[in-house]
Amino acid sequence: MEEQPIQGRSSHCALSYRERHWSPATLNWNRNSLPGAGAAMKTPAPAWTCGLALVLLLLLAVLQTTTAQKNGIDIYSLTVDSKVSSRFAHTVVTSRVVNKADTMQEATFQMELPKKAFITNFSMIIDGVTYPGNIKEKAAAQEQYSAAVARGESAGLVKATGRKMEQFQVSVSVAPAAKVTFELVYEELLKRRLGVYELLLKVQPQQVVKHLQMDIHIFEPQGISFLETESTFMTSELENALTTSQTQTKAHILFKPTLSQQQKSLEQQDTVINGNFIVRYDVNRTLSGGSIQIENGYFVHYFAPEGLPTIPKNVIFVIDKSGSMRGKKIQQTREALIKILDDLSPKDQFNLVPFSEEATQWKPSLVPASAENVKEARTYAAGIQAQGGTNINSAMLMAVQLLERATREELLPSGSVSLIILLTDGDPTVGETSPEKIQRNVQDAIGGQYSLFCLGFGFDVSYAFLERLALDNGGLARRIYEDSDSALQLEDFYQEVANPLLTAVAFEYPSNAVEDVTQDNFRLLFKGSEMVVAGKLRDQSPDVLSAKISGQLLMQNITFQTESGMAEQEEFPSPKYIFYNFMERLWAFLTIQQLLEQIVSASDTEKQALKTRALGLSLNYSFVTPLTSMVVTKPEGQEQSQVAEKPVENKNRHRNVPLGHGVFRYHSMGNRRSGMTAAENFSSRLGPPGPLHHRHSSYPFSNPNPRLTDMLLVPGLLSDPSGFDGVLHGMDLMITETISTSPPSGKLPAPSALTQAPSVILPLPGQSVDRLCVDIKHSQGPMNLLSDPDQGIEVTGHYEIEKAQFSWIKVTFRNPQLQVHATPEHVVVTQNRRSSAYKWKNTLFSVMPGLKMTEDKAGLLLLSSPDKVTIGLLFWDGPGQGLRLLLRDTDRFSRHISGTLGQFYQDVLWGPPTEADDSKRTLSVQGHDHSATRELKLDYQEGAPGTEISCWSVEL
């Protein structure tokens, strides 16, 4: 289609647009199909008004094409069916679309799946004809479709899209009134990490869908010990569409929203469903030889004994402080290192080896993790500065020499485990710079005595080099993503290896019973992880499969025994909980994964044999692995040569991979049904709102007319060099909307400039006054705000007098054992040493045993339970950025409540008003008298800029 400029405006604001492309699974648009993409843009006029007009015209064009989109390709069914049997997940995504337009349209199926998963099948059914995806050896597929390879399309169907996900995408032309069914199948073995298994599903239909359903069935013969769900798109309306049921061994999660539940508003066809749905669970386990499960001639053995003591460790942190780490990277590294040092056990020994052009050591030898040594190390870590080149070889050899000398001089605790943790963000540039020579040097120096873990910071580092370095030495590699939570990623990784339980673990089975067993020798077992061994049963195997697991615990050998009767095995349940031959596929999946790991560190002579076996299994079981490709066939006359390949981690090097993909998104500026902004709307959950006097919006190009539909923001366009950077550069537009209202009779006047927001507003049940406004005027360090042992809740925080805000608030729950640490940057939730970071003003809905955690786009986080006080944390960005504490259901506090704020829920005595001034009273709390004054205060619970209320004000 020939590009035509939009008529009727200055040549300085010329804008072209192209034919749009639809995306039925997610209705994401191709970037090249966005208005103005790829078009030559003239230099914008210097006045910002031209830029604003340009963007508004663009948005009008987008609004028009959105209507066309919804009248064109329509998703009438989208289902996600996931079966998890003994940790092995089989997921089927089915999208059915119809072309309602009177012309040919392009439909694009797009789905995100976990990186660790293997695609096993994809097909399209068009007018009753099935077009399957055929899995072939990668070399054969590329040779057969050399034309596609030459055009650079061979790996175009799958790409990495973030930390955990890959995106699969296929387009096909659809005739008017024609229907297409897309079906994608993938499988994965859920890995136990820090005590949980996690099933991650991503759903982004980008339009309301008549039949939308997620159906998850979990079957675990060991029994399900706990189950929780988390979503980044759930709303109070959608909550009613989610049902969860659980028995001893089974769980069923069903999400089936209606059309109205999916809609952002009655006027809009935009969907609120856009994001992650996560299921986390664990199984029952004891101090035993684990669980052996048998199905159809195959077995799987899970081993993660409970109740073992932690083995002391000797750990050396090798920290890159070269010039490329300057700025945020080194700052976050320091933060993480300080936190990790605090988590060391007094039984551990440690040292620090920072390096740039040269390596240095904090101490001449390893030292015990005593309080004094940890304090000194924290000070040292806080002073690490980044500059110079990168000498990885020298730093690694220094770390090994420290451990060797300590071993030689018998300075290490008996039976302890020695670990080296390397963090770097770049390639070696000083000293020995050959990755191959460094790998040999390090492997020769370690000699199998110590485990090496490598963390690659960002995308400029050679991940393949770090991966081989780690696998050569009994460890693993992990990429640390550059983001606001990089320090948390480092801390989280450390927690995975912080508690070794067993060393030199070996599994033994009778040779007459099993064959083709996966890896059965492991160097280390860490707390919260799990060892998995799978294999085939021989034809004439005994009626009982026995296993012996041996390992070392401190200085003692320890042996576990377990067995499983073939005939006594619990019969696996109906097909809704399992899929055909799942255990055989589990065995093949695990074998392929382990072979691919071995290939990384194998010699050239060994690699070919390993590749041949992994390729054979990939083809036999139809897995898209790094050794195979899936050729997607299409109807005659359409592009015939699209090929899906498994992305390789290291191919992301030297470019920033976005944590999300550049899709077309709709941003709601508020709840148009109520005429309120999102910030104002949350107040309905905290109590009746007061009169609304002003409304301010700091969104760029905010809509000053509440009757107009919401503006659409197009990411990608605004950063396109050929687009609007020139127009928007240096612009900071704010449109302020003022609603003129007269206060109802008897109501307070509009807030004055002198009205202040109190530090905390406390609802006081059972009192003659309903609200107490507490102003904190004296704060020294962290404060114990609330502590209720009967409720199992403790709230601490740090209040900044200058900002009149909390700089952090920490909420600790005893049951479930969980901690929420909120700062203006993000919210960190820690449970069982596993931490997750959540950004403010993102939707969150998490249900775990005994606690529900929700967050809305206004920045309100609620922690609630049927029988507990509700704690609210509010992100506050004006005036002065910080946090606010909100309380609800305070009648549930026990008589043992204490703390700076908790004292007001003890036996509080109110004195009578003074004769001279009835706006003053004396408040007696635990024998201390406080002056309380009736004042007008700003109630922030109703959103910015707040509403004036009358309350009794107390200063602390």
Side-chain angles (χ1 to χ4, degrees):
M1 177 177 174
E2 184 178 352
E3 294 182 2
Q4 299 291 337
I6 297 176
Q7 303 297 321
R9 59 174 180 265
S10 163
S11 61
H12 287 294
C13 296
L15 176 67
S16 64
Y17 64 95
R18 295 183 177 182
E19 183 176 357
R20 277 73 183 168
H21 295 242
W22 327 117
S23 181
T26 61
L27 283 188
N28 297 337
W29 290 12
N30 298 330
R31 193 164 183 265
N32 290 337
S33 67
L34 290 170
M41 302 298 296
K42 296 187 178 182
T43 303
W48 70 266
T49 50
C50 176
L52 177 59
L54 183 92
V55 174
L56 291 177
L57 284 167
L58 165 69
L59 295 176
L60 287 173
V62 168
L63 287 169
Q64 294 166 0
T65 54
T66 301
T67 304
Q69 173 191 25
K70 292 174 181 175
N71 292 332
I73 295 295
D74 178 60
I75 312 171
Y76 60 89
S77 175
L78 176 60
T79 62
V80 180
D81 181 33
S82 192
K83 294 180 172 67
V84 183
S85 302
S86 295
R87 288 71 142 176
F88 194 56
H90 174 89
T91 302
V92 182
V93 182
T94 307
S95 176
R96 293 180 171 89
V97 306
V98 61
N99 181 10
K100 291 187 174 181
D102 54 7
T103 59
M104 182 81 76
Q105 297 289 339
E106 186 173 64
T108 302
F109 174 84
Q110 183 172 296
M111 185 67 196
E112 292 195 36
L113 62 148
K115 283 183 178 180
K116 297 296 184 182
F118 290 156
I119 292 173
T120 66
N121 189 39
F122 174 76
S123 63
M124 294 183 289
I125 303 174
I126 305 174
D127 288 335
V129 180
T130 300
Y131 299 89
N134 299 311
I135 297 177
K136 301 174 178 288
E137 180 184 1
K138 182 174 286 188
Q142 289 182 345
E143 183 178 345
Q144 185 175 353
Y145 295 93
S146 56
V149 176
R151 291 195 298 269
E153 299 168 357
S154 62
L157 300 187
V158 186
K159 62 181 180 180
T161 56
R163 302 181 189 179
K164 299 181 179 180
M165 307 299 284
E166 292 170 355
Q167 184 188 92
F168 176 87
Q169 179 175 305
V170 171
S171 300
V172 65
S173 297
V174 185
K179 293 182 177 180
V180 182
T181 297
F182 300 94
E183 184 178 274
L184 176 70
V185 184
Y186 62 87
E187 295 174 353
E188 61 177 319
L189 180 61
L190 303 183
K191 185 177 180 181
R192 189 169 187 249
R193 179 179 167 272
L194 292 172
V196 298
Y197 307 100
E198 181 176 284
L199 178 69
L200 171 59
L201 302 170
K202 194 150 193 174
V203 183
Q204 299 171 285
Q206 294 287 310
Q207 63 168 253
V208 294
V209 179
K210 184 177 181 181
H211 177 225
L212 176 63
Q213 180 172 311
M214 295 172 60
D215 204 7
I216 302 164
H217 291 272
I218 300 173
F219 173 67
E220 290 291 350
Q222 285 178 251
I224 299 171
S225 62
F226 89 93
L227 177 75
E228 66 181 43
T229 61
E230 179 181 305
S231 168
T232 59
F233 56 76
M234 200 72 68
T235 62
S236 55
E237 290 81 10
L238 286 172
E239 181 180 353
N240 298 323
L242 177 66
T243 58
T244 301
S245 59
Q246 181 183 341
T247 64
Q248 183 177 350
T249 58
K250 300 171 187 174
H252 180 213
I253 298 104
L254 177 65
F255 179 62
K256 193 174 182 180
T258 63
L259 284 169
S260 61
Q261 287 173 323
Q262 297 173 49
Q263 287 176 247
K264 285 187 176 178
S265 70
L266 292 174
E267 298 81 18
Q268 294 176 294
Q269 291 299 306
D270 301 331
T271 179
V272 297
I273 298 175
N274 180 1
N276 297 337
F277 187 86
I278 301 171
V279 179
R280 296 188 186 97
Y281 72 95
D282 197 17
V283 301
N284 297 320
R285 57 188 87 244
T286 58
L287 181 58
S288 70
S291 171
I292 297 178
Q293 296 162 29
I294 299 170
E295 193 256 351
N296 201 24
Y298 287 80
F299 79 92
V300 62
H301 185 178
Y302 295 106
F303 180 67
E306 288 286 291
L308 291 176
T310 299
I311 299 175
K313 61 183 179 296
N314 318 298
V315 57
I316 297 183
F317 301 96
V318 183
I319 307 298
D320 187 345
K321 61 166 188 173
S322 61
S324 57
M325 290 282 290
R326 189 179 295 116
K328 195 170 185 179
K329 285 184 186 177
I330 198 67
Q331 176 190 339
Q332 291 175 319
T333 300
R334 287 192 298 255
E335 290 174 11
L337 197 53
I338 289 169
K339 179 66 169 64
I340 288 169
L341 289 169
D342 285 340
D343 289 339
L344 288 171
S345 165
K347 297 179 181 179
D348 296 337
Q349 297 203 78
F350 74 105
N351 205 341
L352 308 176
V353 178
F355 72 94
S356 53
E357 294 178 0
E358 294 181 355
T360 56
Q361 53 197 43
W362 168 55
K363 293 287 186 180
S365 62
L366 281 82
V367 297
S370 63
E372 184 180 346
N373 285 335
V374 167
K375 182 180 179 181
E376 187 180 343
R378 283 165 50 94
T379 303
Y380 178 82
I384 295 176
Q385 301 296 323
Q387 60 181 359
T390 309
N391 193 336
I392 294 176
N393 188 72
S394 176
M396 288 304 305
L397 295 182
M398 179 178 286
V400 176
Q401 287 163 8
L402 281 167
L403 287 172
E404 278 183 339
R405 187 163 61 249
T407 304
R408 226 174 21 247
E409 297 173 4
E410 299 183 349
L411 299 175
L412 302 180
S414 299
S416 59
V417 172
S418 295
L419 312 175
I420 300 173
I421 299 177
L422 166 68
L423 170 68
T424 181
D425 76 332
D427 294 343
T429 60
V430 177
E432 181 57 70
T433 58
S434 166
E436 293 77 15
K437 288 185 179 179
I438 295 174
Q439 287 161 5
R440 286 198 300 272
N441 292 344
V442 173
Q443 190 172 18
D444 291 344
I446 287 179
Q449 298 180 77
Y450 322 119
S451 295
L452 170 62
F453 298 89
C454 298
L455 304 177
F457 207 134
F459 285 92
D460 289 330
V461 68
S462 172
Y463 189 79
F465 163 59
L466 293 183
E467 186 177 37
R468 179 163 183 176
L469 202 59
L471 292 175
D472 277 346
N473 298 284
L476 56 86
R478 181 76 56 81
R479 190 185 297 282
I480 302 299
Y481 291 82
E482 293 184 57
D483 206 344
S484 60
D485 69 337
S486 295
L488 186 66
Q489 294 175 56
L490 291 168
E491 295 168 29
D492 224 23
F493 169 80
Y494 171 76
Q495 288 297 337
E496 291 185 53
V497 299
N499 296 287
L501 300 178
L502 287 175
T503 63
V505 183
F507 291 72
E508 293 181 41
Y509 307 95
S511 57
N512 65 336
V514 302
E515 61 182 343
D516 284 340
V517 176
T518 58
Q519 179 183 347
D520 55 9
N521 283 272
F522 302 86
R523 185 175 290 195
L524 284 167
L525 172 67
F526 294 102
K527 185 177 181 179
S529 66
E530 182 175 63
M531 289 176 174
V532 185
V533 180
K536 292 183 186 180
L537 297 175
R538 293 189 184 275
D539 292 338
Q540 303 299 323
S541 60
D543 291 338
V544 174
L545 176 60
S546 61
K548 184 174 78 170
I549 306 98
S550 59
Q552 284 195 326
L553 174 62
L554 295 173
M555 290 299 290
Q556 299 178 340
N557 293 327
I558 186 170
T559 302
F560 299 87
Q561 300 265 0
T562 190
E563 62 181 28
S564 179
M566 311 289 184
E568 296 173 8
Q569 269 285 321
E570 178 181 350
E571 199 169 306
F572 279 88
S574 62
K576 71 180 181 180
Y577 281 92
I578 67 166
F579 47 98
Y580 181 66
N581 282 350
F582 82 92
M583 200 162 287
E584 179 179 352
R585 297 189 64 81
L586 185 161
W587 164 81
F589 183 99
L590 183 59
T591 303
I592 293 168
Q593 273 197 333
Q594 292 177 352
L595 288 169
L596 292 172
E597 280 189 2
Q598 293 170 34
I599 289 169
V600 172
S601 57
S603 65
D604 292 340
T605 54
E606 297 171 326
K607 275 185 181 177
Q608 192 53 51
L610 294 170
K611 282 185 177 180
T612 300
R613 186 169 183 228
L615 174 62
L617 288 170
S618 299
L619 294 173
N620 288 344
Y621 291 92
S622 297
F623 287 131
V624 177
T625 70
L627 303 175
T628 56
S629 300
M630 182 169 68
V631 180
V632 177
T633 57
K634 294 185 182 182
E636 188 175 352
Q638 297 195 35
E639 193 175 30
Q640 294 286 312
S641 50
Q642 287 187 290
V643 181
E645 296 179 351
K646 185 77 175 169
V648 179
E649 178 76 34
N650 207 51
K651 287 188 176 179
N652 296 327
R653 195 177 177 203
H654 300 312
R655 66 183 178 89
N656 273 327
V657 176
L659 296 184
H661 47 277
V663 301
F664 197 64
R665 300 190 186 278
Y666 307 81
H667 291 270
S668 172
M669 297 305 176
N671 187 329
R672 296 303 179 201
R673 279 178 286 182
S674 63
M676 296 162 62
T677 66
E680 293 150 2
N681 191 42
F682 76 74
S683 63
S684 61
R685 296 192 297 284
L686 292 173
L692 181 65
H693 303 284
H694 293 79
R695 183 166 67 202
H696 299 273
S697 177
S698 58
Y699 298 103
F701 313 117
S702 292
N703 188 352
N705 188 341
R707 291 171 296 180
L708 290 180
T709 188
D710 292 345
M711 291 300 181
L712 308 180
L713 306 182
V714 189
L717 268 181
L718 300 183
S719 59
D720 189 336
S722 63
F724 297 98
D725 267 1
V727 178
L728 298 178
H729 182 68
M731 291 170 52
D732 185 13
L733 299 182
M734 177 185 290
I735 297 176
T736 301
E737 179 183 349
T738 302
I739 301 177
S740 177
T741 60
S742 298
S745 176
K747 298 289 184 179
L748 294 168
S752 67
L754 299 177
T755 309
Q756 300 294 318
S759 304
V760 185
I761 299 176
L762 300 179
L764 298 178
Q767 301 290 343
S768 58
V769 290
D770 56 350
R771 278 176 293 199
L772 185 68
C773 291
V774 179
D775 281 306
I776 300 174
K777 297 298 185 180
H778 306 283
S779 173
Q780 294 181 351
M783 305 169 64
N784 178 14
L785 301 173
L786 299 167
S787 182
D788 190 334
D790 293 6
Q791 286 268 301
I793 296 176
E794 184 177 71
V795 182
T796 56
H798 186 273
Y799 192 80
E800 294 188 1
I801 303 297
E802 300 78 13
K803 291 185 177 180
Q805 307 289 346
F806 285 98
S807 59
W808 59 262
I809 297 175
K810 187 185 296 182
V811 185
T812 304
F813 295 88
R814 188 175 62 232
N815 187 24
Q817 289 188 353
L818 179 140
Q819 185 183 88
V820 178
H821 188 193
T823 67
E825 287 72 41
H826 51 224
V827 177
V828 176
V829 179
T830 303
Q831 187 176 21
N832 295 328
R833 300 177 297 113
R834 172 177 48 87
S835 298
S836 301
Y838 304 96
K839 294 182 179 179
W840 288 108
K841 300 192 176 182
N842 283 352
T843 308
L844 173 68
F845 182 88
S846 179
V847 179
M848 59 198 78
L851 186 67
K852 183 167 77 171
M853 181 168 59
T854 62
E855 184 187 343
D856 61 18
K857 292 189 176 181
L860 174 67
L861 180 73
L862 289 178
L863 305 161
S864 60
S865 179
D867 56 351
K868 287 187 173 70
V869 175
T870 297
I871 307 292
L873 303 178
L874 176 65
F875 173 75
W876 183 264
D877 56 0
Q881 193 178 79
L883 303 174
R884 291 277 177 169
L885 176 67
L886 318 177
L887 297 175
R888 195 170 67 182
D889 307 316
T890 54
D891 57 322
R892 295 173 181 168
F893 277 131
S894 76
R895 59 190 301 271
H896 299 114
I897 179 73
S898 62
T900 302
L901 303 178
Q903 64 179 322
F904 294 103
Y905 293 96
Q906 282 281 13
D907 297 326
V908 178
L909 298 176
W910 288 89
T914 62
E915 295 181 3
D917 187 351
D918 62 2
S919 66
K920 294 184 181 295
R921 299 176 71 177
T922 299
L923 179 63
S924 181
V925 183
Q926 295 182 338
H928 297 283
D929 289 344
H930 300 271
S931 297
T933 306
R934 193 74 175 176
E935 294 179 353
L936 290 178
K937 290 286 186 177
L938 199 59
D939 185 356
Y940 52 82
Q941 298 182 80
E942 299 175 9
T947 304
E948 276 185 338
I949 61 169
S950 177
C951 67
W952 289 99
S953 180
V954 173
E955 289 188 4
L956 294 179

